[in-house]
Amino acid sequence: MYPVHTKTAQATERPRRGERIMAAINRDPLTAPHAVRNDAILAVCTAVLATAVALLVDHGRRPDALGWTLLLAAHVPLAWRRRRPLLVLLLALVPVVPYHALDNNHGAPVAGSMVALYTVAATSTPRRTLTIGALVIGTTLTMNALTNPDGFVELLRITGWVVAVLFLGVDVRFYRQYVTAIVERAERAERTREEEARRRVAEERLRIARDLHDLLAHSITLIGVQTSVAAHVLAADPERLDRETVAKALDDIAETCRTARGELRTTLEVLRDNGGGPSDTRGPLAGLDGVPDLVEAARLAGARVEPAVRVAGPVPPAVGAAAYRLVQEALTNAVRHAGPEPAVRVDLREEDGALRLSVTDDGTGPTPGTTPGFGLVGMRERARSVGGTLDAGPRADGGFQVTATLPLTPATTREGTGTG
């Protein structure tokens, strides 16, 4: 068992180490944490390497006391290379120039100088990098010409190293910019997805609120009217009780409750999460085929409703559901506000690629001074949800009228389940 755990730990450690290495490469050097501490360690390492090269290579040019001082002083600024890259390069070159001029070991300070040059190339613009590279190459060639006029191979080697380091720095800089752009696009896409999800949730909540308002307002209004009928029959002449009328009113109340319960269950089905199991829904909400039931319910509540439905073919489910809810809310308002036994005309017709809807009554309308509800607001929102328009208001010759135009073309209607 122990070897298995050891191998698992090693396999887990390798990806983590690789992730840390890639994160260090992709990180902007100007914003890296613990920059001074890490660069100080790098400066010490390069100083140790320079010392080893000076002691072990080219014994004839081993530095003297002044040479050692200049060599070690050239590595001190590297501790701040990521804070002030250009300044660190200049401070590193200040002791390096006299160090080479004194004809000390020319290979010892190369590592430190290349680190400073790479940092400038990785953090500066390409134009500044080319300018600094040209100055460094020019200075190097001048010093080499003064100290070693016959060293043409050495001249090419130094120039090649400088150019290679510059290109490496520029390439790393572009790579980091590319990674940053990818990360920004991913974060922006994630924010867009979250905003889209919040927008969809808000739209769904608004849709459910509209459905609940239409359903409950309609059902409660009908139940109230039917209860009033039963109460009136019971109180009008108790000695000659019309049992048949009372029983019919109670049956109407029970039927309204059953219908409301079924529609409420269908409306709230979207809030359930049954884990992908079988759904207990009763199907989509009614469309235009449910308008006769609305008319009959309004008649039972005392309204004299005259329907006129002239729609030849099927309509999109979303438009049918919106029309159903508009008629339902308009009839509910007529029963509630138009007075006793109002005359209501419901007109639905297909015209010019749109469904024209009109519900007109001859009642008194809402009582002046009362606080308006959310019915008309919800009706306008429902019409807009399928790309339509709605107008509602009192008529000039009395009564109230609701008119709506709901387009039937696929480009302006939402595909849905009939819930709006």
Side-chain angles (χ1 to χ4, degrees):
M1 293 180 63
Y2 293 110
V4 174
H5 287 291
T6 303
K7 290 181 180 179
T8 303
Q10 291 176 350
T12 305
E13 183 64 23
R14 276 196 222 93
R16 291 179 180 176
R17 187 182 300 115
E19 291 175 0
R20 288 196 297 268
I21 293 174
M22 292 305 300
I25 294 175
N26 297 334
R27 185 185 297 121
D28 185 356
L30 300 179
T31 60
H34 312 296
V36 175
R37 183 196 67 184
N38 295 338
D39 290 340
I41 296 174
L42 178 62
V44 171
C45 293
T46 54
V48 171
L49 177 61
T51 302
V53 171
L55 291 175
L56 302 177
V57 178
D58 198 0
H59 297 282
R61 289 191 172 89
R62 180 174 296 179
D64 55 9
L66 179 59
W68 283 114
T69 302
L70 294 174
L71 180 62
L72 297 178
H75 292 81
V76 174
L78 295 180
W80 295 272
R81 69 182 184 93
R82 280 185 278 192
R83 295 295 179 87
R84 295 289 186 272
L86 184 58
L87 179 61
V88 166
L89 176 63
L90 295 177
L91 293 177
L93 291 179
V94 168
V96 166
V97 171
Y99 173 87
H100 285 295
L102 295 175
D103 200 20
N104 292 305
N105 189 303
H106 296 294
V110 170
S113 302
M114 293 303 171
V115 168
L117 188 62
Y118 163 80
T119 305
V120 172
T123 56
S124 301
T125 62
R127 179 179 298 179
R128 177 180 293 182
T129 300
L130 292 177
T131 302
I132 295 173
L135 292 176
V136 171
I137 292 175
T139 304
T140 304
L141 295 180
T142 301
M143 295 302 303
N144 188 77
L146 295 176
T147 57
N148 188 16
D150 299 328
F152 182 74
V153 176
E154 182 72 12
L155 179 65
L156 292 179
R157 184 178 62 84
I158 294 174
T159 304
W161 274 108
V162 172
V163 172
V165 169
L166 290 176
F167 271 102
L168 176 62
V170 172
D171 185 65
V172 169
R173 180 174 181 271
F174 285 150
Y175 171 75
R176 285 170 175 163
Q177 290 178 344
Y178 173 72
V179 172
T180 301
I182 292 178
V183 172
E184 290 178 353
R185 284 197 298 269
E187 292 176 350
R188 187 163 56 249
E190 184 65 24
R191 288 194 300 268
T192 302
R193 283 193 295 270
E194 292 176 356
E195 293 171 358
E196 178 67 14
R198 286 194 294 267
R199 184 186 66 81
R200 289 181 180 274
V201 169
E203 289 182 352
E204 187 66 13
R205 290 178 62 184
L206 179 61
R207 182 192 66 78
I208 294 174
R210 286 198 302 260
D211 285 342
L212 291 177
H213 174 272
D214 295 345
L215 169 63
L216 296 178
H218 178 73
S219 302
I220 291 173
T221 298
L222 294 183
I223 291 172
V225 172
Q226 292 158 351
T227 305
S228 299
V229 172
H232 175 73
V233 172
L234 290 173
D237 194 352
E239 295 181 358
R240 294 188 301 171
L241 183 63
D242 189 349
R243 296 180 180 276
E244 183 179 352
T245 303
V246 173
K248 187 177 185 307
L250 294 178
D251 287 341
D252 292 339
I253 292 174
E255 180 62 27
T256 301
C257 290
R258 283 192 295 269
T259 303
R261 185 170 61 249
E263 290 198 27
L264 182 62
R265 191 174 185 178
T266 302
T267 302
L268 297 181
E269 189 67 29
V270 295
L271 299 179
R272 297 177 181 174
D273 183 13
N274 55 11
S279 177
D280 192 26
T281 181
R282 298 187 180 182
L285 297 180
L288 295 184
D289 55 346
V291 172
D293 295 334
L294 297 177
V295 171
E296 184 62 26
R299 285 173 177 169
L300 293 175
R304 293 175 287 116
V305 185
E306 180 183 352
V309 180
R310 299 185 297 276
V311 180
V315 300
V319 175
Y324 174 86
R325 290 303 187 189
L326 294 178
V327 173
Q328 183 184 53
E329 180 66 17
L331 290 176
T332 301
N333 291 338
V335 171
R336 181 188 299 173
H337 302 297
E341 296 186 354
V344 184
R345 177 175 177 79
V346 178
D347 185 19
L348 287 164
R349 68 185 187 277
E350 185 178 352
E351 182 180 301
D352 298 331
L355 180 64
R356 311 284 181 177
L357 180 151
S358 175
V359 180
T360 307
D361 66 69
D362 62 352
T364 58
T367 304
T370 58
T371 303
F374 296 99
L376 293 180
V377 175
M379 293 171 74
R380 290 191 175 91
E381 289 176 348
R382 190 174 295 281
R384 283 197 299 267
S385 70
V386 293
T389 58
L390 181 137
D391 292 319
R395 297 191 302 164
D397 54 350
F400 200 84
Q401 183 176 24
V402 175
T403 59
T405 302
L406 309 178
L408 298 176
T409 55
T412 56
T413 59
R414 292 184 181 179
E415 295 298 329
T417 60
T419 59

